[in-house]
Amino acid sequence: MTSFLKPENALKRAEELINVGQKQDALQTLHDLITSKRYRAWQKTLERIMFKYVELCVDMRKGRFAKDGLIQYRIICQQVNVSSLEEVIKHFMHLSTEKAEQARSQAQALEEALDVDDLEADKRPEDLMLSYVSGEKGKDRSDRELVTPWFKFLWETYRTVLEILRNNSKLEALYAMTAHRAFQFCKQYKRTTEFRRLCEIIRNHLANLNKYRDQRDRPDLSAPESLQLYLDTRVEQLKIATELELWQEAFRSVEDIHGLMCLVKKTPKPSLMVVYYVKLTEIFWISSSHLYHAYAWFRLFLLQKSFNKNLSQKDLQLIASSVVLAALSVPPHDRTYGASHLELEHEKERNLRMANLIGFNLETKPESREMLSRSSLLAELASKGVMSCVTQEVKDIYHLLEHEFYPSDLALKAQHMITKISKLGGKLSTASSVPDVQLSQYVPALERLATMRLLQQVSNVYQTMKIETLSGMIPFFDFSVVEKISVDAVKQKFVSMRVDHMKNVVIFCKTSLESDGLRDHLANFAEQLNKARQMIYPPDRKPSKLGALLPTLTEVVAKEHKRLLARKSIIEKRKEEQERQLLEMEREEESKRLRLQKITEEAEQRRLATEYEQRKNQRILREIEEREIEEAQALLQEAEKRIKKKGKKPIIEGDKITKQTLMELTLTEQLRERQEMEKKLQKLAKTMDYLERAKREEAAPLIEAAYQQRLVEERLLHEREQQQEVELSKHRHEGDLKEKERLARMMGNKEIYEVRVVSHRQAEFNRLKREREERISRILQSRRQEREKMRKLKYYLKLEEERQQKLREEEEARKLEEAERRKKEEVERLAKLAEIAEKQKQRERELDEKERQRREALLGRAAEPAPPVRPLESVTAAPAAAAAAAAPTPGKYILPKFRRERAESTGTAPRTGAAPPPETDRWGNSSSRPDGDRWRGDDRRSGFGSGGGSRSSSTWSSSNRNR
């Protein structure tokens, strides 16, 4: 693998290789560059390299190389420049298509060149031998040699591009365009097998999209643009499938479209739905599903009438006529009559599936399910007003075949109407999506219906009829065809008849005289006789003014009724239009809100991403700088070692060296060594060339002599081996003749043994067949019992689950009530505790107040002035006062022990009558105050006042009461 410093160098190298004819080497060079991990950042040069790369891949038909290169380029461009990938892929598909067209043009030109009068004169002998051996024509062989390889490569190109672009939200448009081009390729060249594979590929891509919902850049099908692209692709697939007449694939495409609509829960555009129903009508008509064909036409009629504002009256009549004729084409009898239970279940499932595809939602419960039927469809047509839009011919044949009773000339009347109907049809000018409407396709079905109605009405009137008479009444078919139709009708219990060819009559059987048909026929006959009698003998009436006004009054009433109906329809339409406008306004407001929310979220995400990128870039720069420093040190050490080994003086200064300087020095050293090595190799190559040339000049005459001698030896050997082969063949032939004579005697025994073996195997086969049928019947019985058991089990489990759910709900309700009750009790308890605490605080405040009043009273008595006393009296009174203070008096303050000792010492000191010395307080000040005042001052300074002691004692007593 060659390494290039810049991508431009690889591109130049590839162009040089292409100029000298080495395209494979050029392709490998570009492939190595694209798949290299060194060039992961997108640049414009890579786009030019990819253009050259895909050109080489197309020229050499290297599909695998193209796929690998495009995958690597997608990884490079995914988050940077997706448009570059789109341009490369478009260029790739354009080149592949152009090459395929060129090959096809060359094949056509070759075919025209070979188209001459005298084929034997222009053909070479080897061409004639090849044509006789292969059995191919010139065109087939030229297609196989020229066109087929390029078509294979073009098909591989489409598959590769679809695989690269799948499930990518940024490349949805290109994916859809590629799918459309692949469809057109299959249509243009009638490639049915490739079309099936293409449909399966697209189907698998959608399945993977729904399966892996957490993948990056996943398309959002709820977005209108993505949904429209996917629906357009499926609709195009449906169109191509019908044009290629791949009806099974077309039906699968219809199921894909319906599944996509159910997945996103949105209704597509009316134009797409028109194409959808048009193709459904074609598919159901080809599959002879006339009932579903009629329902599809009915949905198409409703769609065109509701959304196509430009629909003309003529086009509306053609579509409505198609709906009615399609409904009449449905056989009037029930095909499920007399079917088995399994067949009925299959028919119900099929009806439900088809109804979902057509758009008629049916109930899933068997008891409430309304199946699609001919009678319900005709009633729906009458209620929706379809009959008022059809042409007069269609309306007449509808009344004739459904409501009239003409047992003798029903078919003759229907023939004239059918002839007129077969001429109706044409291209719809105001409904471009609907193809040509040709009512002539319903003629065979109408003729069968007229025949069956005739047989039904004749069976109500006649008991026997000659075959010639019945054949004359039915001008559509021969009697053999009528007999087949009657067999089908009798099988489905539509009519009751049998044909007696011996007597040449048709016998119509009736089970009883009270049958519904005969009773209705007699009632109708009586009404018709009554009308005829009134016409022959009209009753006498008196002339009156009211009678003269009645005809005009009927017209007035009819006109007024029509006007009221029209007004009602106009009011309903206005209401619907107003509701639709309101819904659109709400939808627009919701979309605006979601769009603003999305924009805000995207801005926030961009801001966070920008901050994260900035932090990441700063960290990467720091790491790069550290790594460069480490690499520079390593390169410095290696350079010093290499220079020391060579014996040179190191010229590198480690303090000032950088990584760039080291790399330049290393590259210079490597370049010098490479140049020396190249000189040595050139000298060695010249020496080897000289020796090889001399050796070959000496060996040439020896090789020629050996070759001539070998020719002589091989000629002699060939003649000897040919003679031996002839003798060996003669001996082998004689032995084979003898062996044939010996084995001919065993032919009779061989035939007897063959008959015995065949009879034995036939008996064994019959026995195994009976056993298999019995085994199948037992399996069916067991499966039927198993289904019944599972049905009962599911019913029991459902009941049990409902009971458990009910018990859980009751338990939750009980727990909720219990929690409410506990919460209420807790609230009441907290209220009581709060009340008790409040009372306790009030009591404490009262006690504090009383204590404060008592202390104020004590302090007030202590503050009164004492009478003057003599010094001796004061000295003698001091011990008495100290003793009185030391006595425990209730309600009074008791001095501490050290205070009492100080009082005693001061009281006994002045025995000579002298005054006590002044006391120095703890701040160093002297005081000449009396002892009592000094005591009180000391008490106040030390914090042992009466108030503090009473407060502390009262607090202690209240705390004890709280305990």
Side-chain angles (χ1 to χ4, degrees):
M1 176 179 175
T2 307
S3 177
F4 297 97
L5 294 177
K6 295 182 179 179
E8 293 86 349
N9 299 337
L11 184 59
K12 292 178 181 178
R13 178 61 178 168
E15 291 176 351
E16 292 173 358
L17 292 172
I18 292 172
N19 292 331
V20 297
Q22 298 180 4
K23 291 186 177 181
Q24 181 63 38
D25 295 338
L27 179 63
Q28 188 63 43
T29 301
L30 295 180
H31 182 266
D32 294 340
L33 177 72
I34 293 168
T35 56
S36 175
K37 295 183 179 179
R38 185 175 180 180
Y39 308 102
R40 290 297 187 186
W42 183 87
Q43 47 187 321
K44 190 65 176 178
T45 308
L46 288 178
E47 183 176 350
R48 288 190 276 114
I49 290 174
M50 282 302 301
F51 280 137
K52 180 62 69 176
Y53 180 77
V54 297
E55 289 175 3
L56 288 174
C57 291
V58 172
D59 289 340
M60 303 175 66
R61 292 202 295 266
K62 297 289 185 180
R64 180 59 60 185
F65 276 83
K67 184 175 182 180
D68 294 342
L70 288 174
I71 289 174
Q72 294 297 328
Y73 194 63
R74 181 189 64 181
I75 296 172
I76 296 172
C77 299
Q78 179 71 29
Q79 304 299 330
V80 181
N81 191 358
V82 182
S83 60
S84 176
L85 178 61
E86 292 183 5
E87 294 298 328
V88 171
I89 289 177
K90 288 179 181 178
H91 185 62
F92 180 43
M93 290 193 295
H94 173 70
L95 291 176
S96 302
T97 307
E98 188 177 6
K99 288 291 184 180
E101 290 294 334
Q102 288 179 1
R104 186 163 173 266
S105 301
Q106 290 177 4
Q108 290 179 355
L110 183 60
E111 181 185 359
E112 292 174 359
L114 291 175
D115 189 10
V116 294
D117 297 333
D118 190 2
L119 294 177
E120 299 294 335
D122 291 342
K123 286 189 176 181
R124 297 175 296 175
E126 53 269 24
D127 294 337
L128 291 174
M129 292 179 65
L130 182 61
S131 64
Y132 292 148
V133 172
S134 63
E136 294 180 345
K137 296 182 179 179
K139 183 179 184 304
D140 297 335
R141 190 160 58 251
S142 63
D143 288 347
R144 180 169 54 82
E145 293 174 355
L146 297 175
V147 181
T148 304
W150 282 110
F151 277 10
K152 286 183 179 179
F153 181 76
L154 181 57
W155 166 244
E156 187 177 356
T157 300
Y158 287 133
R159 290 190 59 178
T160 300
V161 173
L162 288 175
E163 188 67 25
I164 291 172
L165 302 178
R166 65 184 179 94
N167 300 342
N168 196 322
S169 59
K170 298 179 180 179
L171 301 170
E172 287 178 339
L174 187 58
Y175 178 85
M177 185 197 73
T178 306
H180 282 260
R181 293 183 66 172
F183 289 144
Q184 293 300 324
F185 165 76
C186 297
K187 173 188 174 183
Q188 183 178 359
Y189 301 111
K190 307 297 182 183
R191 308 304 303 175
T192 57
T193 305
E194 284 76 10
F195 180 76
R196 292 191 185 94
R197 291 174 183 168
L198 179 62
C199 296
E200 193 63 31
I201 288 170
I202 296 176
R203 200 171 291 117
N204 290 334
H205 288 175
L206 182 60
N208 292 333
L209 176 63
N210 296 326
K211 184 177 180 181
Y212 305 107
R213 295 181 178 271
D214 55 346
Q215 65 181 1
R216 188 177 182 181
D217 296 327
R218 175 183 176 272
D220 186 11
L221 293 180
S222 60
E225 296 82 6
S226 301
L227 177 61
Q228 189 63 33
L229 288 175
Y230 274 82
L231 283 175
D232 289 341
T233 303
R234 268 61 183 183
V235 170
E236 184 67 19
Q237 174 182 333
L238 177 59
K239 290 180 180 178
I240 302 301
T242 53
E243 291 179 5
L244 294 177
E245 297 183 355
L246 299 174
W247 302 111
Q248 186 175 3
E249 197 62 42
F251 185 74
R252 295 184 67 185
S253 302
V254 168
E255 288 183 329
D256 291 342
I257 297 173
H258 182 262
L260 198 60
M261 290 190 292
C262 295
L263 184 65
V264 298
K265 307 295 184 184
K266 291 182 180 179
T267 304
K269 294 181 179 179
S271 59
L272 291 181
M273 295 304 298
V274 168
V275 177
Y276 175 80
Y277 284 117
V278 166
K279 299 305 177 183
L280 265 183
T281 57
E282 296 182 17
I283 294 170
F284 287 141
W285 182 257
I286 293 297
S287 63
S288 299
S289 301
H290 297 95
L291 179 61
Y292 307 133
H293 171 77
Y295 269 104
W297 262 115
F298 181 46
R299 293 292 295 183
L300 181 60
F301 169 78
L302 295 179
L303 201 63
Q304 287 286 344
K305 187 177 180 182
S306 301
F307 294 99
N308 194 350
K309 303 301 182 182
N310 299 324
L311 191 65
S312 63
Q313 186 65 27
K314 181 181 178 181
D315 294 344
L316 183 64
Q317 280 187 353
L318 277 178
I319 297 175
S321 302
S322 299
V323 174
V324 175
L325 293 180
L328 291 177
S329 301
V330 181
H333 48 71
D334 188 7
R335 291 186 177 274
T336 61
Y337 188 87
S340 63
H341 176 71
L342 186 61
E343 293 176 351
L344 290 176
E345 288 296 326
H346 286 319
E347 185 66 23
K348 288 180 180 179
E349 293 178 0
R350 183 168 180 266
N351 266 340
L352 182 60
R353 182 182 177 190
M354 298 302 170
N356 288 331
L357 290 180
I358 297 170
F360 288 89
N361 296 322
L362 301 181
E363 297 287 340
T364 57
K365 297 181 179 180
E367 59 272 9
S368 62
R369 186 183 298 172
E370 180 184 358
M371 305 306 296
L372 303 180
S373 62
R374 184 177 186 270
S375 58
S376 61
L377 176 60
L378 291 176
E380 190 76 13
L381 295 181
S383 63
K384 294 293 184 180
V386 181
M387 298 304 300
S388 60
C389 300
V390 301
T391 60
Q392 187 63 36
E393 294 82 0
V394 176
K395 190 180 298 184
D396 293 341
I397 197 169
Y398 168 75
H399 287 291
L400 178 65
L401 297 178
E402 295 297 326
H403 301 293
E404 301 294 340
F405 186 80
Y406 295 104
S408 59
D409 55 352
L410 175 66
L412 295 175
K413 290 184 177 182
Q415 185 180 15
H416 300 294
M417 298 179 184
I418 290 173
T419 304
K420 294 180 181 179
I421 290 173
S422 62
K423 299 177 182 178
L424 298 177
K427 178 68 177 178
L428 301 183
S429 58
T430 58
S432 58
S433 300
V434 182
D436 296 342
V437 177
Q438 298 296 336
L439 303 184
S440 57
Q441 63 177 345
Y442 300 107
V443 169
L446 292 175
E447 291 175 349
R448 289 178 60 87
L449 177 63
T451 304
M452 296 177 70
R453 289 296 186 192
L454 179 65
L455 293 175
Q456 184 186 25
Q457 294 181 9
V458 167
S459 65
N460 293 333
V461 177
Y462 298 97
Q463 290 185 352
T464 59
M465 179 179 287
K466 289 186 178 182
I467 293 177
E468 294 82 1
T469 306
L470 185 61
S471 299
M473 296 170 64
I474 302 175
F476 309 124
F477 309 112
D478 296 336
F479 186 74
S480 58
V481 181
V482 175
E483 192 172 4
K484 291 179 181 179
I485 296 173
S486 62
V487 168
D488 191 15
V490 170
K491 182 180 178 181
Q492 302 299 334
K493 302 297 182 181
F494 185 69
V495 294
S496 179
M497 59 177 289
R498 56 191 177 88
V499 181
D500 190 348
H501 286 281
M502 294 182 64
K503 297 181 181 180
N504 200 21
V505 295
V506 178
I507 302 173
F508 300 100
C509 307
K510 283 293 179 182
T511 56
S512 64
L513 288 174
E514 294 299 325
S515 63
D516 295 337
L518 186 59
R519 185 169 62 249
D520 293 342
H521 171 61
L522 293 176
N524 293 332
F525 184 66
E527 291 179 0
Q528 296 294 334
L529 284 178
N530 190 17
K531 290 181 181 179
R533 184 184 63 80
Q534 291 179 0
M535 291 174 64
I536 296 172
Y537 302 105
D540 297 334
R541 294 181 181 178
K542 295 181 180 180
S544 62
K545 295 182 180 179
L546 181 62
L549 294 175
L550 280 177
T552 58
L553 182 61
T554 304
E555 294 177 358
V556 171
V557 170
K559 290 181 180 179
E560 187 67 17
H561 181 65
K562 289 181 179 178
R563 189 181 65 79
L564 291 175
L565 289 177
R567 184 174 179 273
K568 182 178 179 181
S569 63
I570 292 171
I571 292 172
E572 291 294 331
K573 287 181 180 178
R574 289 178 179 175
K575 288 182 179 179
E576 290 175 359
E577 183 67 22
Q578 188 177 5
E579 291 175 357
R580 186 181 63 79
Q581 292 178 358
L582 290 175
L583 288 175
E584 289 180 355
M585 291 174 61
E586 292 177 358
R587 194 180 299 112
E588 289 177 357
E589 292 176 357
E590 183 67 19
S591 63
K592 288 181 181 178
R593 186 183 65 79
L594 292 176
R595 196 180 304 112
L596 290 175
Q597 183 179 0
K598 186 176 181 182
I599 291 171
T600 307
E601 292 176 355
E602 289 177 353
E604 183 66 17
Q605 290 178 359
R606 285 196 298 271
R607 185 183 64 79
L608 295 175
T610 304
E611 293 178 357
Y612 174 77
E613 288 294 332
Q614 291 176 357
R615 293 194 297 269
K616 183 178 178 182
N617 293 333
Q618 293 175 2
R619 179 178 56 80
I620 291 172
L621 289 175
R622 288 195 301 270
E623 292 176 357
I624 289 172
E625 292 175 356
E626 294 173 357
R627 193 181 301 112
E628 286 180 354
I629 294 172
E630 294 175 357
E631 290 176 356
Q633 295 295 331
L635 289 174
L636 177 61
Q637 294 176 3
E638 291 178 0
E640 289 176 354
K641 290 179 182 179
R642 188 168 57 253
I643 291 172
K644 286 179 181 179
K645 287 181 180 179
K646 294 182 179 180
K648 297 180 180 180
K649 182 179 179 181
I651 58 174
I652 303 173
E653 296 179 2
D655 296 335
K656 299 180 180 179
I657 198 67
T658 61
K659 181 182 177 182
Q660 186 66 25
T661 307
L662 287 172
M663 290 180 67
E664 290 176 357
L665 291 173
T666 305
L667 289 174
T668 305
E669 186 68 22
Q670 290 178 356
L671 182 61
R672 187 180 58 78
E673 293 176 355
R674 190 181 301 113
Q675 289 175 356
E676 293 177 356
M677 183 60 67
E678 287 177 354
K679 290 180 181 178
K680 291 180 181 179
L681 290 175
Q682 288 177 1
K683 184 176 181 181
L684 181 61
K686 289 181 180 179
T687 305
M688 293 296 294
D689 188 18
Y690 175 79
L691 292 175
E692 185 67 19
R693 188 182 302 110
K695 185 173 63 175
R696 291 188 180 182
E697 288 176 356
E698 292 293 329
L702 298 177
I703 292 173
E704 182 65 24
Y707 174 73
Q708 295 297 333
Q709 184 180 358
R710 183 68 177 272
L711 286 177
V712 175
E713 291 175 358
E714 286 183 352
R715 188 180 298 110
L716 295 175
L717 179 63
H718 173 69
E719 293 174 357
R720 186 168 59 252
E721 287 179 352
Q722 188 176 10
Q723 185 64 28
Q724 291 177 0
E725 183 66 21
V726 170
E727 293 176 358
L728 183 61
S729 298
K730 290 181 180 180
H731 291 306
R732 192 181 297 114
H733 179 66
E734 293 173 359
D736 291 340
L737 290 176
K738 291 178 182 179
E739 184 68 19
K740 179 180 179 182
E741 291 176 358
R742 188 179 66 82
L743 294 176
R745 296 193 300 270
M746 300 170 59
M747 185 59 68
N749 295 330
K750 176 256 181 183
E751 292 176 354
I752 294 171
Y753 177 77
E754 182 180 2
V755 171
R756 185 164 65 250
V757 170
V758 170
S759 61
H760 175 70
R761 290 184 179 176
Q762 182 66 31
E764 183 69 18
F765 171 77
N766 293 333
R767 182 182 63 80
L768 292 175
K769 183 178 180 182
R770 289 194 299 272
E771 291 178 358
R772 178 177 176 275
E773 292 175 353
E774 293 174 359
R775 186 168 64 256
I776 289 173
S777 62
R778 289 196 300 271
I779 290 173
L780 290 176
Q781 183 66 24
S782 64
R783 288 180 180 176
R784 194 177 297 110
Q785 293 175 359
E786 187 68 23
R787 285 198 301 271
E788 186 66 26
K789 187 187 297 182
M790 290 300 296
R791 193 178 293 112
K792 292 181 179 179
L793 180 60
K794 288 180 181 178
Y795 179 74
Y796 171 76
L797 291 176
K798 182 179 179 181
L799 293 179
E800 185 66 18
E801 185 178 357
E802 292 177 355
R803 187 179 66 80
Q804 293 291 338
Q805 182 67 22
K806 186 176 180 181
L807 291 176
R808 284 195 296 270
E809 293 176 355
E810 292 177 355
E811 182 66 20
E812 291 176 356
R814 186 183 63 77
K815 289 182 179 179
L816 186 62
E817 292 176 359
E818 183 68 20
E820 292 289 335
R821 184 179 61 79
R822 289 181 180 177
K823 186 176 180 181
K824 188 180 295 183
E825 291 177 356
E826 183 67 20
V827 170
E828 293 176 357
R829 186 179 68 81
L830 293 175
K832 289 180 179 180
L833 289 177
E835 184 178 359
I836 292 171
E838 185 65 28
K839 290 180 179 180
Q840 186 67 28
K841 290 180 181 179
Q842 183 68 25
R843 191 180 295 113
E844 288 177 1
R845 286 195 295 270
E846 292 175 0
L847 290 174
D848 291 342
E849 183 67 22
K850 290 179 181 181
E851 184 64 24
R852 186 180 61 78
Q853 292 176 1
R854 186 182 64 77
R855 188 171 61 253
E856 288 178 355
L858 289 174
L859 292 174
R861 287 196 301 269
E864 292 178 359
V869 294
R870 292 176 304 188
L872 182 62
E873 291 177 354
S874 62
V875 170
T876 56
T889 303
K892 293 184 177 181
Y893 176 69
I894 300 175
L895 288 175
K897 184 177 180 179
F898 73 94
R899 291 291 184 185
R900 289 196 302 269
E901 290 177 353
R902 183 189 302 176
E904 289 174 358
S905 63
T906 55
T908 57
R911 288 183 180 270
T912 58
E919 181 182 2
T920 302
D921 57 9
R922 53 185 173 178
W923 289 282
N925 298 324
S926 61
S927 177
S928 60
R929 288 178 302 179
D931 292 341
D933 293 340
R934 189 167 60 249
W935 289 345
R936 285 192 296 270
D938 293 339
D939 292 341
R940 284 192 298 270
R941 284 194 302 270
S942 60
F944 288 96
S946 61
S950 64
R951 185 178 290 110
S952 63
S953 63
S954 63
T955 305
W956 178 83
S957 63
S958 63
S959 64
N960 286 337
R961 284 195 301 272
N962 289 336
R963 289 196 186 95

